[in-house]
Amino acid sequence: MSGLLAFRHLKNKGSQRLSLSWFSSSDFSRFLHSLPFATVNAEEVSGSKPAEVLNLVQGKWTRSSSWNTIPDPLNGESFIKVSEVDEKGIQPFVESLSKCPKHGLHNPFKAPERYLMLGDVTTKAAHKLSLPEVSDFFAKLIQRVSPKSYEQALGEVYVTQKFLENFCGDQVRFLARSFAVPGNHLGQQSHGFRWPYGPVAIITPFNFPLEIPVLQLMGALYMGNKPLLKVDSKVCIVMEQMLRLLHDCGLPLEDVDFINSDGKTMNKILLEGKPRMTLFTGSSRVAEKLAVDLKGRIKLEDAGFDWKILGPDVQEEDYVAWVCDQDAYACSGQKCSAQSLLFMHENWGKSSLLNKLTSLAARRKLDDLTVGPVLTFTTNAMLDHMNKLLQIKGSKLIFGGEPLQNHSIPAVYGAIKPTAVFIPLEEILKETNYELVTKEIFGPFQIVTEYKHNQIPLVLDALERMHAHLTAAVVSNDLLFQQEIIGNSVNGTTYAGLRARTTGAPQNHWFGPAGDPRGAGIGTPEAIKLVWSCHREIIYDVGPVPKSWTTPKPT
């Protein structure tokens, strides 16, 4: 099925699902052409009708002299033209950052009305995203650039909308809540305040083109910062349209700069513009380079080789198998929280779990995008990695391991069937194998192993040796087992209990790594305050000076 044809097939299925509301499919077509903020129509973007993405700097949408053409991930057609800034064109962005003072656009002592303004903008934006025609627009646009099932794309819009609902009205200023402590004498008090950094930068990846940049951008704005936002060029059209929606809701155009560029150009902007803090979500390799370049002025939500442990209590096999399939293969495994390594207790090894996983994975098809293009690994790269794993003693292919058939996905991207490889636990722990086994493959690929009850220390050793600690799951209602695993691990977002998962983070809990002082969170008030503000202490000491005071001896 060709790219645009496949997308229209999906569009029709999505519209049928949304027809539970009072909009018909014909209404959707009419509304998509009448959204006041939109400059594109997701249903029409194609090689014959390419969309354009611009930059925003100092309150103006601008074009650069060079354009980067983005291939349609479903058929390879050049379907989006991105106006990319090169190193010669960075000066306006550097100047914009330098114009923002270190004390920010607002803080508890300066322009407090901006807290209220941002609360109002958020209220309007939350309402707009709740409208079926708007949520459908963004879901379809996400599907065009980061192919995933309609349900997964709409889920991303839903989480973003619920996040905005959480920070409507006065909730923005409540993020800047202070505290006071009595001093040593009359007139003295210490007050703790949340203080902005001022000029900041946000760099986000392709896999959640709406949710990650919106949540981090709004958090930066709420705390008083002036952000420069860069989204992966493959998907930047989604955030460009969201910025236009925010402007339509009253966000001043000067509050956010939006840049499209390659990594080298963005690195140069960061070095010359000197943002006070940079939030980076993406690969560990780039994260470590930026940490050095920016002298530690950075927060990271980098890659995660995420694990799930199935405990000794086998129950609800159908449900556990379904969650495992979703965690490993939804969005074609292109989630930083995707299940990468599954530890099965020997009791689960004797169950029907692997048979059920095999059947569930076989249901995934390209025509509904429950499996689809992998945007950071080629087919050959994933299969080569699999073949290296299969050379390990005792390893075997459980299912998958083959390219997808009958598609027009360009060779620059990957396309394989959902894949699982079994490797014995003892082999995983060998020095010669561990680095290979724990290499993150950002695609529909996972490692499965089995452990005996007396091998729990080996499982814990495997966890301790990992370098990224984002999400994890302890699937067990055995409280003592939970306690042992949780007490001897560090992952920042860990789910525990029979229904535990590794993916699907909603807006109501912290999502982020642990074990690293540079770790960034997302979603909650705690995450916003940690990432986008620092602590400032004001000690008031107004007197009076005691009437009996005299100048003391020097000390």
Side-chain angles (χ1 to χ4, degrees):
M1 189 177 293
S2 69
L4 190 58
L5 182 61
F7 175 72
R8 285 173 176 160
H9 171 69
L10 292 167
K11 180 205 79 156
N12 292 335
K13 294 179 73 173
S15 295
Q16 289 167 12
R17 292 185 185 99
L18 285 175
S19 64
L20 293 173
S21 70
W22 36 270
F23 285 95
S24 69
S25 57
S26 60
D27 288 328
F28 278 116
S29 179
R30 177 170 54 85
F31 275 111
L32 282 170
H33 287 282
S34 62
L35 296 178
F37 63 87
T39 60
V40 300
N41 186 322
E43 301 173 27
E44 295 179 357
V45 177
S46 63
S48 61
K49 200 169 185 179
E52 292 185 357
V53 181
L54 306 184
N55 302 283
L56 176 66
V57 62
Q58 300 186 41
K60 295 181 180 178
W61 289 103
T62 64
R63 287 176 166 82
S64 60
S65 58
S66 59
W67 294 82
N68 178 20
T69 57
I70 306 299
D72 187 326
L74 292 174
N75 63 20
E77 291 183 353
S78 297
F79 78 139
I80 296 175
K81 297 195 298 182
V82 179
S83 178
E84 288 205 346
V85 175
D86 59 23
E87 293 185 37
K88 297 178 182 178
I90 67 173
Q91 200 55 38
F93 297 91
V94 172
E95 289 176 0
S96 187
L97 285 171
S98 66
K99 287 179 181 178
C100 179
K102 295 176 183 178
H103 52 263
L105 299 178
H106 64 266
N107 61 53
F109 289 75
K110 171 189 172 183
E113 63 276 5
R114 280 183 51 86
Y115 293 114
L116 306 184
M117 178 271 290
L118 289 167
D120 289 342
V121 170
T122 302
T123 301
K124 294 172 184 175
H127 171 68
K128 281 188 182 294
L129 273 189
S130 73
L131 299 175
E133 68 273 17
V134 178
S135 60
D136 184 71
F137 167 78
F138 279 106
K140 301 283 177 51
L141 198 56
I142 290 168
Q143 282 191 295
R144 293 299 284 126
V145 294
S146 182
K148 57 184 79 172
S149 71
Y150 186 83
E151 289 82 356
Q152 289 284 323
L154 191 62
E156 183 178 344
V157 180
Y158 175 80
V159 168
T160 304
Q161 189 263 334
K162 299 306 286 187
F163 166 86
L164 293 172
E165 282 187 357
N166 286 343
F167 294 98
C168 292
D170 283 333
Q171 296 308 310
V172 174
R173 65 168 148 200
F174 287 158
L175 289 169
R177 188 191 300 271
S178 62
F179 64 84
V181 177
N184 293 334
H185 50 256
L186 183 62
Q188 186 185 75
Q189 285 185 335
S190 59
H191 287 246
F193 294 95
R194 298 313 301 177
W195 215 255
Y197 291 104
V200 299
I202 303 169
I203 304 172
T204 63
F206 74 91
N207 55 333
F208 287 90
L210 183 71
E211 181 180 340
I212 295 176
V214 169
L215 270 58
Q216 295 291 14
L217 174 68
M218 299 309 292
L221 288 169
Y222 292 156
M223 301 313 296
N225 302 289
K226 165 71 180 285
L228 168 61
L229 173 64
K230 176 187 171 2
V231 181
D232 189 309
S233 291
K234 292 190 290 290
V235 300
C236 59
I237 191 171
V238 177
M239 200 57 205
E240 188 222 40
Q241 295 298 297
M242 185 64 196
L243 281 171
R244 294 180 187 277
L245 181 148
L246 291 171
H247 295 153
D248 195 53
C249 293
L251 180 71
L253 270 74
E254 299 81 7
D255 276 16
V256 179
D257 292 334
F258 177 68
I259 188 170
N260 304 298
S261 72
D262 61 21
K264 185 179 177 183
T265 299
M266 188 62 190
N267 193 260
K268 187 175 178 66
I269 292 174
L270 295 177
L271 294 177
E272 294 191 13
K274 295 181 173 60
R276 303 294 297 171
M277 211 287 289
T278 294
L279 178 281
F280 176 79
T281 305
S283 81
S284 297
R285 179 184 59 81
V286 176
E288 293 299 335
K289 180 186 186 304
L290 285 175
V292 174
D293 289 349
L294 301 179
K295 298 180 172 60
R297 293 190 298 272
I298 193 167
K299 288 288 186 181
L300 304 175
E301 188 205 313
D302 56 353
F305 188 84
D306 306 299
W307 49 265
K308 176 182 289 183
I309 298 175
L310 306 183
D313 45 327
V314 177
Q315 50 187 314
E316 300 292 348
E317 292 180 37
D318 287 338
Y319 182 84
V320 171
W322 172 76
V323 175
C324 285
D325 175 74
Q326 286 292 109
D327 281 346
Y329 304 123
C331 298
S332 299
Q334 296 174 101
K335 296 184 179 184
C336 52
S337 56
Q339 176 181 304
S340 301
L341 176 53
L342 177 64
F343 296 91
M344 298 187 304
H345 189 279
E346 58 185 325
N347 294 346
W348 281 98
K350 298 171 185 174
S351 75
S352 61
L353 177 73
L354 290 183
N355 288 334
K356 293 181 185 297
L357 275 177
T358 302
S359 298
L360 289 167
R363 299 188 309 168
R364 297 185 171 273
K365 305 295 181 185
L366 182 60
D367 65 359
D368 61 3
L369 292 180
T370 50
V371 67
V374 174
L375 302 190
T376 54
F377 280 86
T378 64
T379 299
N380 287 339
M382 289 185 284
L383 295 181
D384 286 348
H385 178 71
M386 179 194 72
N387 289 329
K388 290 176 183 177
L389 292 173
L390 290 175
Q391 293 174 18
I392 296 173
K393 182 181 177 182
S395 65
K396 60 183 179 182
L397 181 65
I398 301 174
F399 55 78
E402 298 177 354
L404 293 178
Q405 301 297 320
N406 303 317
H407 65 78
S408 52
I409 296 170
V412 68
Y413 298 140
I416 68 168
K417 295 179 180 180
T419 298
V421 174
F422 178 87
I423 301 176
L425 179 59
E426 298 90 342
E427 293 295 325
I428 291 176
L429 291 170
K430 288 182 178 178
E431 290 291 336
T432 53
N433 296 333
Y434 188 81
E435 185 175 343
L436 175 66
V437 172
T438 57
K439 178 181 179 180
E440 184 181 18
I441 300 298
F442 215 53
F445 194 98
Q446 68 170 322
I447 306 295
V448 179
T449 192
E450 185 176 327
Y451 67 98
K452 299 182 185 301
H453 205 76
N454 61 4
Q455 291 181 308
I456 291 177
L458 298 182
V459 174
L460 295 175
D461 179 38
L463 307 185
E464 179 69 18
R465 288 162 60 180
M466 293 179 188
H467 65 85
H469 306 287
L470 185 54
T471 71
V474 184
V475 183
S476 174
N477 282 348
D478 182 331
L479 294 181
L480 295 181
F481 180 81
Q482 283 186 22
Q483 184 172 283
E484 183 172 12
I485 302 299
I486 294 172
N488 290 282
S489 59
V490 70
N491 291 49
T493 304
T494 301
Y495 300 87
L498 180 66
R499 298 185 64 174
R501 61 194 194 276
T502 66
T503 68
Q507 71 296 329
N508 61 3
H509 69 62
W510 162 284
F511 183 85
D516 187 333
R518 305 167 300 177
I522 191 170
T524 62
E526 291 76 19
I528 291 172
K529 286 183 260 190
L530 172 82
V531 175
W532 295 115
S533 69
C534 56
H535 181 88
R536 186 182 188 189
E537 194 88 0
I538 309 292
I539 296 89
Y540 290 98
D541 207 344
V542 299
V545 176
K547 292 181 180 180
S548 60
W549 186 87
T550 58
T551 304
K553 294 179 180 181
T555 60

